[in-house]
Amino acid sequence: DRWSITDRLLAEAGLRFDRDHVVRKWVTAPRLAVSYMLAKDTKINAGVGLFYDRTNLLIITQPLAGERIDQFYASDGVTPLGSPVTTIFQPSTTPLRAPRFANWSAGVQRKLPWKVYGTLEYLQKRGRDIFNYSTPAPLIITPGQPPSTSTVIYQLNNAERDYYHSVRLTARKQFKGTYEVLGSYERSSATSNAVVNLNLDSLVFAQ
């Protein structure tokens, strides 16, 4: 819904409901945005919302892809180093939660000289309960030595956490008709505790 609270203040609110057969529960995602005309040539805006990621079936069905067996060899390429290593992906032993992201942003827009419009925006995203596979006993490979284990079990969980934030500066010049020139600079940063999507086809053996 949209409310024109005053001539200067505009608010928009929304509410979304989702459900799928993997998480097996309803999730509610509220959103709110406001825009305020601080002066004739200056506007500020802000927004906040909760978003749920769609279920990635490639991750959920990973345990159905079978097992992987790797045999490591010495530097001569002939002598086996220990027993073959079996990699197994298993489903979660506890009910899964829907991956969710809490996003918020704020910005200011101002009309500058020569009819140039400048915008400064900040955006932050925090992701929790993202689907990921992890193992309590990772495979350790030392050159010339047998692998540290003969079986590696990766289990599905909600352990992944993601964080992203950015600052963007934009300048836009409007000419006659629909012609315009736009320039933008953005600086961002992203961090995660699980940046590698492990699967049977990957050659990565560690988290």
Side-chain angles (χ1 to χ4, degrees):
D1 202 359
R2 173 181 291 186
W3 300 297
S4 295
I5 302 174
T6 68
D7 292 340
R8 293 176 175 265
L9 182 61
L10 175 69
E12 293 181 292
L15 189 62
R16 180 185 174 99
F17 298 95
D18 284 284
R19 178 183 173 86
D20 64 41
H21 291 284
V22 175
V23 180
R24 296 183 182 278
K25 63 180 295 186
W26 286 95
V27 294
T28 305
R31 296 96 185 265
L32 175 65
V34 294
S35 178
Y36 181 70
M37 205 65 158
L38 190 63
K40 184 175 67 174
D41 56 359
T42 304
K43 180 177 69 174
I44 58 176
N45 53 73
V48 61
L50 189 63
F51 298 83
Y52 286 87
D53 198 8
R54 67 184 186 275
T55 301
N56 188 336
L57 295 182
L58 291 178
I59 295 180
I60 297 298
T61 59
Q62 188 67 28
L64 303 178
E67 300 178 354
R68 169 175 169 168
I69 299 177
D70 294 277
Q71 177 65 64
F72 294 88
Y73 293 88
S75 58
D76 59 10
V78 177
T79 307
L81 289 177
S83 303
V85 178
T86 303
T87 302
I88 303 172
F89 285 79
Q90 292 185 346
S92 176
T93 57
T94 58
L96 292 172
R97 299 179 298 276
R100 67 184 188 275
F101 295 83
N103 300 353
W104 72 271
S105 63
V108 57
Q109 185 180 63
R110 183 177 177 84
K111 183 179 180 182
L112 304 174
W114 303 295
K115 295 183 179 180
V116 175
Y117 291 87
T119 304
L120 179 64
E121 299 172 291
Y122 177 80
L123 171 66
Q124 183 185 100
K125 301 179 181 180
R126 288 183 178 272
R128 297 179 58 85
D129 296 334
I130 303 172
F131 295 146
N132 181 257
Y133 285 93
S134 62
T135 176
L139 175 64
I140 300 176
I141 302 174
T142 303
Q145 300 294 327
S148 58
T149 182
S150 60
T151 304
V152 181
I153 299 177
Y154 291 102
Q155 196 158 56
L156 180 62
N157 54 53
N158 287 111
E160 183 173 338
R161 304 286 186 270
D162 293 345
Y163 174 74
Y164 171 87
H165 66 97
S166 68
V167 176
R168 179 169 57 188
L169 179 63
T170 304
R172 178 172 56 88
K173 168 67 175 177
Q174 184 78 40
F175 295 96
K176 291 184 178 180
T178 58
Y179 299 98
E180 68 176 19
V181 175
L182 183 143
S184 180
Y185 173 79
E186 182 170 355
R187 185 170 181 85
S188 62
S189 173
T191 58
S192 174
N193 65 343
V195 297
V196 178
N197 291 324
L198 300 173
N199 57 72
L200 289 178
D201 298 324
S202 174
L203 294 180
V204 178
F205 294 94
Q207 292 292 93

PDB file of all heavy atoms in Angstrom, residues 132-148:
ATOM      1  N   ASN A 132      23.817 -24.893   3.260  1.00  0.00           N
ATOM      2  CA  ASN A 132      25.230 -25.150   3.051  1.00  0.00           C
ATOM      3  C   ASN A 132      25.553 -26.551   3.562  1.00  0.00           C
ATOM      4  O   ASN A 132      24.860 -27.092   4.421  1.00  0.00           O
ATOM      5  CB  ASN A 132      26.073 -24.104   3.796  1.00  0.00           C
ATOM      6  CG  ASN A 132      27.559 -24.288   3.595  1.00  0.00           C
ATOM      7  OD1 ASN A 132      28.247 -24.799   4.472  1.00  0.00           O
ATOM      8  ND2 ASN A 132      28.051 -23.885   2.434  1.00  0.00           N
ATOM      9  N   TYR A 133      26.624 -27.133   3.028  1.00  0.00           N
ATOM     10  CA  TYR A 133      27.112 -28.428   3.505  1.00  0.00           C
ATOM     11  C   TYR A 133      28.422 -28.214   4.260  1.00  0.00           C
ATOM     12  O   TYR A 133      29.294 -27.457   3.820  1.00  0.00           O
ATOM     13  CB  TYR A 133      27.360 -29.388   2.339  1.00  0.00           C
ATOM     14  CG  TYR A 133      26.103 -29.960   1.747  1.00  0.00           C
ATOM     15  CD1 TYR A 133      25.483 -29.359   0.670  1.00  0.00           C
ATOM     16  CD2 TYR A 133      25.522 -31.112   2.284  1.00  0.00           C
ATOM     17  CE1 TYR A 133      24.324 -29.873   0.124  1.00  0.00           C
ATOM     18  CE2 TYR A 133      24.360 -31.638   1.743  1.00  0.00           C
ATOM     19  CZ  TYR A 133      23.765 -31.016   0.668  1.00  0.00           C
ATOM     20  OH  TYR A 133      22.614 -31.538   0.136  1.00  0.00           O
ATOM     21  N   SER A 134      28.561 -28.881   5.373  1.00  0.00           N
ATOM     22  CA  SER A 134      29.793 -28.811   6.152  1.00  0.00           C
ATOM     23  C   SER A 134      30.074 -30.170   6.769  1.00  0.00           C
ATOM     24  O   SER A 134      29.198 -31.036   6.837  1.00  0.00           O
ATOM     25  CB  SER A 134      29.690 -27.741   7.243  1.00  0.00           C
ATOM     26  OG  SER A 134      28.652 -28.058   8.160  1.00  0.00           O
ATOM     27  N   THR A 135      31.321 -30.354   7.211  1.00  0.00           N
ATOM     28  CA  THR A 135      31.732 -31.623   7.810  1.00  0.00           C
ATOM     29  C   THR A 135      32.545 -31.365   9.063  1.00  0.00           C
ATOM     30  O   THR A 135      33.353 -30.438   9.108  1.00  0.00           O
ATOM     31  CB  THR A 135      32.567 -32.446   6.816  1.00  0.00           C
ATOM     32  OG1 THR A 135      33.029 -33.644   7.466  1.00  0.00           O
ATOM     33  CG2 THR A 135      33.764 -31.667   6.303  1.00  0.00           C
ATOM     34  N   PRO A 136      32.346 -32.148  10.117  1.00  0.00           N
ATOM     35  CA  PRO A 136      33.153 -31.984  11.335  1.00  0.00           C
ATOM     36  C   PRO A 136      34.571 -32.537  11.174  1.00  0.00           C
ATOM     37  O   PRO A 136      35.441 -32.230  11.972  1.00  0.00           O
ATOM     38  CB  PRO A 136      32.360 -32.769  12.384  1.00  0.00           C
ATOM     39  CG  PRO A 136      31.633 -33.811  11.605  1.00  0.00           C
ATOM     40  CD  PRO A 136      31.296 -33.164  10.284  1.00  0.00           C
ATOM     41  N   ALA A 137      34.796 -33.393  10.152  1.00  0.00           N
ATOM     42  CA  ALA A 137      36.114 -34.008   9.955  1.00  0.00           C
ATOM     43  C   ALA A 137      36.550 -33.784   8.515  1.00  0.00           C
ATOM     44  O   ALA A 137      36.359 -34.641   7.653  1.00  0.00           O
ATOM     45  CB  ALA A 137      36.067 -35.494  10.281  1.00  0.00           C
ATOM     46  N   PRO A 138      37.104 -32.603   8.190  1.00  0.00           N
ATOM     47  CA  PRO A 138      37.501 -32.324   6.811  1.00  0.00           C
ATOM     48  C   PRO A 138      38.685 -33.180   6.371  1.00  0.00           C
ATOM     49  O   PRO A 138      39.446 -33.700   7.191  1.00  0.00           O
ATOM     50  CB  PRO A 138      37.890 -30.835   6.848  1.00  0.00           C
ATOM     51  CG  PRO A 138      38.294 -30.596   8.270  1.00  0.00           C
ATOM     52  CD  PRO A 138      37.410 -31.483   9.097  1.00  0.00           C
ATOM     53  N   LEU A 139      38.807 -33.320   5.065  1.00  0.00           N
ATOM     54  CA  LEU A 139      39.912 -34.072   4.477  1.00  0.00           C
ATOM     55  C   LEU A 139      41.164 -33.202   4.448  1.00  0.00           C
ATOM     56  O   LEU A 139      41.139 -32.086   3.926  1.00  0.00           O
ATOM     57  CB  LEU A 139      39.542 -34.512   3.061  1.00  0.00           C
ATOM     58  CG  LEU A 139      40.639 -35.223   2.257  1.00  0.00           C
ATOM     59  CD1 LEU A 139      41.018 -36.533   2.919  1.00  0.00           C
ATOM     60  CD2 LEU A 139      40.178 -35.442   0.827  1.00  0.00           C
ATOM     61  N   ILE A 140      42.247 -33.704   5.021  1.00  0.00           N
ATOM     62  CA  ILE A 140      43.525 -32.987   5.027  1.00  0.00           C
ATOM     63  C   ILE A 140      44.505 -33.728   4.127  1.00  0.00           C
ATOM     64  O   ILE A 140      44.754 -34.923   4.313  1.00  0.00           O
ATOM     65  CB  ILE A 140      44.095 -32.871   6.455  1.00  0.00           C
ATOM     66  CG1 ILE A 140      43.110 -32.105   7.352  1.00  0.00           C
ATOM     67  CG2 ILE A 140      45.447 -32.181   6.440  1.00  0.00           C
ATOM     68  CD1 ILE A 140      43.535 -32.035   8.791  1.00  0.00           C
ATOM     69  N   ILE A 141      45.022 -33.008   3.130  1.00  0.00           N
ATOM     70  CA  ILE A 141      45.932 -33.613   2.163  1.00  0.00           C
ATOM     71  C   ILE A 141      47.317 -33.012   2.349  1.00  0.00           C
ATOM     72  O   ILE A 141      47.512 -31.805   2.221  1.00  0.00           O
ATOM     73  CB  ILE A 141      45.440 -33.371   0.722  1.00  0.00           C
ATOM     74  CG1 ILE A 141      44.026 -33.934   0.549  1.00  0.00           C
ATOM     75  CG2 ILE A 141      46.378 -33.996  -0.285  1.00  0.00           C
ATOM     76  CD1 ILE A 141      43.417 -33.622  -0.784  1.00  0.00           C
ATOM     77  N   THR A 142      48.292 -33.863   2.661  1.00  0.00           N
ATOM     78  CA  THR A 142      49.692 -33.464   2.789  1.00  0.00           C
ATOM     79  C   THR A 142      50.490 -34.144   1.685  1.00  0.00           C
ATOM     80  O   THR A 142      50.395 -35.371   1.539  1.00  0.00           O
ATOM     81  CB  THR A 142      50.250 -33.860   4.165  1.00  0.00           C
ATOM     82  OG1 THR A 142      49.441 -33.271   5.195  1.00  0.00           O
ATOM     83  CG2 THR A 142      51.685 -33.381   4.319  1.00  0.00           C
ATOM     84  N   PRO A 143      51.227 -33.392   0.878  1.00  0.00           N
ATOM     85  CA  PRO A 143      51.987 -34.010  -0.223  1.00  0.00           C
ATOM     86  C   PRO A 143      52.872 -35.151   0.269  1.00  0.00           C
ATOM     87  O   PRO A 143      53.625 -35.009   1.239  1.00  0.00           O
ATOM     88  CB  PRO A 143      52.818 -32.844  -0.762  1.00  0.00           C
ATOM     89  CG  PRO A 143      52.025 -31.625  -0.417  1.00  0.00           C
ATOM     90  CD  PRO A 143      51.395 -31.925   0.905  1.00  0.00           C
ATOM     91  N   GLY A 144      52.751 -36.294  -0.391  1.00  0.00           N
ATOM     92  CA  GLY A 144      53.565 -37.456  -0.047  1.00  0.00           C
ATOM     93  C   GLY A 144      53.052 -38.270   1.107  1.00  0.00           C
ATOM     94  O   GLY A 144      53.646 -39.296   1.462  1.00  0.00           O
ATOM     95  N   GLN A 145      51.905 -37.849   1.712  1.00  0.00           N
ATOM     96  CA  GLN A 145      51.345 -38.552   2.864  1.00  0.00           C
ATOM     97  C   GLN A 145      49.938 -39.036   2.543  1.00  0.00           C
ATOM     98  O   GLN A 145      49.226 -38.421   1.758  1.00  0.00           O
ATOM     99  CB  GLN A 145      51.314 -37.640   4.100  1.00  0.00           C
ATOM    100  CG  GLN A 145      52.667 -37.141   4.544  1.00  0.00           C
ATOM    101  CD  GLN A 145      53.560 -38.265   5.051  1.00  0.00           C
ATOM    102  OE1 GLN A 145      53.080 -39.246   5.636  1.00  0.00           O
ATOM    103  NE2 GLN A 145      54.869 -38.140   4.819  1.00  0.00           N
ATOM    104  N   PRO A 146      49.517 -40.156   3.158  1.00  0.00           N
ATOM    105  CA  PRO A 146      48.149 -40.638   2.937  1.00  0.00           C
ATOM    106  C   PRO A 146      47.133 -39.607   3.437  1.00  0.00           C
ATOM    107  O   PRO A 146      47.418 -38.819   4.348  1.00  0.00           O
ATOM    108  CB  PRO A 146      48.085 -41.928   3.768  1.00  0.00           C
ATOM    109  CG  PRO A 146      49.505 -42.338   3.962  1.00  0.00           C
ATOM    110  CD  PRO A 146      50.298 -41.072   4.029  1.00  0.00           C
ATOM    111  N   PRO A 147      45.929 -39.558   2.860  1.00  0.00           N
ATOM    112  CA  PRO A 147      44.881 -38.646   3.337  1.00  0.00           C
ATOM    113  C   PRO A 147      44.556 -38.892   4.798  1.00  0.00           C
ATOM    114  O   PRO A 147      44.736 -39.995   5.331  1.00  0.00           O
ATOM    115  CB  PRO A 147      43.684 -38.969   2.428  1.00  0.00           C
ATOM    116  CG  PRO A 147      44.289 -39.588   1.209  1.00  0.00           C
ATOM    117  CD  PRO A 147      45.501 -40.330   1.680  1.00  0.00           C
ATOM    118  N   SER A 148      44.064 -37.873   5.474  1.00  0.00           N
ATOM    119  CA  SER A 148      43.807 -37.952   6.910  1.00  0.00           C
ATOM    120  C   SER A 148      42.606 -38.829   7.244  1.00  0.00           C
ATOM    121  O   SER A 148      42.443 -39.236   8.388  1.00  0.00           O
ATOM    122  CB  SER A 148      43.589 -36.547   7.474  1.00  0.00           C
ATOM    123  OG  SER A 148      42.493 -35.913   6.809  1.00  0.00           O
TER     124      SER A 148
END
